[in-house]
Amino acid sequence: MSERACKRILGIETSCDETAAAIIEHYELGKAKILANIVRTQTKEHSEYGGVVPELAARSHIIHIEQIVKRAFRQAELGLQNIDHIGVSAGPGLIGGLLVGLTFAKGLSAANKKPFIAINHLEAHILSARINERVDFPYLVLLVSGGHSQFVLVKNIGSYQILGTTIDDALGEAFDKVGKMLGLSMPGGPMVEKMALKGDAKRFNFPRPLLREKNLNFSFSGLKTAVRLAAEKIAPLKRQDIYDICASFSLAISDIVSQRADRAIVKFNEIFPSVKCQLVVAGGVAANKQIAKSLAKIADFRGAKLIVPPMELCTDNGAMVAFAAGERAIFGISNNLDFAAKARWPLDSEDMVINYGI
Ligand code: KG4
Ligand code: ZN
């Protein structure tokens, strides 16, 4: 181990359609500095198919991973010899892509005798708010990405309780599918948001599924079907029709998300009556300004603090993976090189738990 007061960590991310690598300095729990954070997105490669093609994603990761990692080292002005730990997303995600990052990280680890840490990609997302800002445990996370929509109670590192999740599509996926339906380019989320700005949100009264349910789950497939039916009814669509559908859909989404967030904050306050609720929004959909605005309103109403990390930390990146590895390394955690990639890896699974007695 080095004599430095910090650990330098390489983080690698290949779980979906971003090939990413970052190098951070990790000083202590919740304290780190990003030295390099390189992300190569594959959006263009998948756009003609209207969604991420797993096999293409894996091949593209293979082609680019080495260059991305090298660029991270160049930007940080460091070499492998300066690194203390190697962290990599080992799941959940597309298995082919995960295998690329995992195999690459294991190779570097074995050849350079650097401890290897397998990171749960979702853990990386929910801890990422702590890189730039002080966020104390416990806190509440709304994780909304292309693959996930869930409320997570973050009690400590490795101690996560899922308060609610989607019973069908993820929120980003719903945006992407609506975008595709309307012939917009990929990824659908940012395009739908852009189109919505010019539309009349009151023209279509789309359903708000599950709003009367007491739990914290989401469901977006009924809403998606309603959008499709409305679009089919008025086809062929003119520009203004597309704007209006996007605006009405976005309003339905922000109503749903803010109502669920309201309930989640109430739940947090019941569990931790003497703790001011911090609501962190993580995942790519956190970029949506309308959603962020409606969440800010709810947080304000409930006396909670809303934290939206900078966009480059919300979407898939290597810095969040390196940071999660740094936090875990503090507890002496590393993994064997036979650690297998996991397509599914719930945050509340047993192998996430840290034995704080170590
Ligand atoms: O976290 P992320 O980069 O990748 C994973 O899925 O893990 O999230 C990507 C998702 C996509 O579905 C994309 O359409 C959505 O985030 N997204 C947005 C916006 N920007 C990205 N959805 C709505 N509004 C946006 N501005
Ligand atoms: Zn992600």
Side-chain angles (χ1 to χ4, degrees):
M1 280 299 149
S2 66
E3 299 298 319
R4 272 175 279 111
C6 67
K7 296 276 183 280
R8 291 198 182 120
I9 300 161
L10 167 67
I12 295 176
E13 160 59 40
T14 57
S15 69
C16 190
D17 59 344
E18 268 87 28
T19 314
I23 293 165
I24 66 164
E25 281 188 344
H26 191 272
Y27 304 100
E28 57 186 83
L29 267 187
K31 206 155 182 248
K33 182 176 163 197
I34 299 173
L35 303 182
N37 194 16
I38 310 288
V39 180
R40 181 189 180 277
T41 181
Q42 303 174 357
T43 308
K44 278 202 188 120
E45 288 147 78
H46 301 284
S47 63
E48 67 176 287
Y49 305 99
V52 178
V53 183
E55 176 65 22
L56 284 186
R59 289 179 192 208
S60 183
H61 287 308
I62 292 173
I63 293 168
H64 298 286
I65 181 102
E66 188 178 342
Q67 280 310 316
I68 294 295
V69 171
K70 278 185 175 159
R71 274 178 61 193
F73 275 110
R74 269 202 303 276
Q75 190 170 324
E77 297 180 2
L78 294 172
L80 257 165
Q81 70 281 4
N82 309 114
I83 293 295
D84 300 295
H85 299 275
I86 298 171
V88 60
S89 284
L94 301 174
I95 206 78
L98 288 168
L99 280 171
V100 175
L102 203 55
T103 310
F104 194 85
K106 285 176 178 177
L108 288 182
S109 164
N112 298 278
K113 300 196 172 40
K114 306 286 178 185
F116 152 84
I117 306 178
I119 292 298
N120 181 315
H121 177 85
L122 302 178
E123 176 178 67
H125 270 304
I126 65 175
L127 295 181
S128 66
R130 284 163 49 85
I131 300 178
N132 275 2
E133 204 168 327
R134 182 171 170 176
V135 186
D136 295 324
F137 300 114
Y139 60 93
L140 181 64
V141 175
L142 169 61
L143 173 60
V144 274
S145 68
H148 301 275
S149 301
Q150 46 187 231
F151 283 108
V152 186
L153 192 57
V154 182
K155 297 176 189 165
N156 209 330
I157 294 151
S159 177
Y160 311 119
Q161 186 182 338
I162 314 293
L163 298 180
T165 188
T166 178
I167 56 174
D168 38 58
D169 293 341
L171 181 51
E173 191 183 359
F175 268 102
D176 294 340
K177 285 179 178 170
V178 165
K180 190 176 173 188
M181 240 180 251
L182 300 175
L184 305 177
S185 58
M186 258 186 75
M191 284 307 287
V192 169
E193 179 175 31
K194 202 168 146 199
M195 301 290 131
L197 293 175
K198 301 181 198 163
D200 172 9
K202 299 239 163 67
R203 178 163 165 204
F204 301 94
N205 186 18
F206 291 133
R208 276 81 167 143
L210 296 190
L211 276 207
R212 255 168 284 150
E213 303 271 330
K214 282 248 159 25
N215 59 42
L216 291 171
N217 289 338
F218 293 106
S219 166
F220 298 112
S221 75
L223 172 57
K224 191 186 63 193
T225 307
V227 171
R228 185 172 51 76
L229 294 176
E232 282 171 4
K233 206 165 155 192
I234 56 166
L237 299 179
K238 295 188 213 56
R239 279 253 135 227
Q240 193 59 46
D241 296 328
I242 293 177
Y243 299 155
D244 294 346
I245 290 174
C246 288
S248 305
F249 169 76
S250 297
L251 180 63
I253 291 286
S254 64
D255 282 353
I256 295 166
V257 173
S258 55
Q259 192 271 0
R260 294 278 112 170
D262 183 55
R263 201 159 277 196
I265 295 170
V266 170
K267 175 106 184 166
F268 182 96
N269 291 338
E270 279 167 17
I271 302 172
F272 299 105
S274 54
V275 180
K276 181 180 162 108
C277 179
Q278 306 158 96
L279 172 61
V280 169
V281 194
V285 186
N288 188 290
K289 298 216 169 49
Q290 187 176 5
I291 294 175
K293 225 187 209 167
S294 62
L295 287 173
K297 229 189 240 171
I298 290 296
D300 194 41
F301 175 69
R302 291 282 175 201
K305 182 180 179 195
L306 180 72
I307 299 157
V308 186
M311 231 22 255
E312 65 273 19
L313 293 180
C314 277
T315 48
D316 286 353
N317 66 88
M320 67 179 190
V321 177
F323 181 72
E327 299 279 81
R328 284 191 165 262
I330 292 218
F331 300 101
I333 292 177
S334 64
N335 295 97
N336 293 329
L337 291 179
D338 62 357
F339 194 99
K342 299 171 191 240
R344 265 183 52 76
W345 191 1
L347 274 170
D348 53 0
S349 42
E350 238 167 64
D351 59 357
M352 292 300 296
V353 177
I354 291 179
N355 177 359
Y356 287 96
I358 293 173

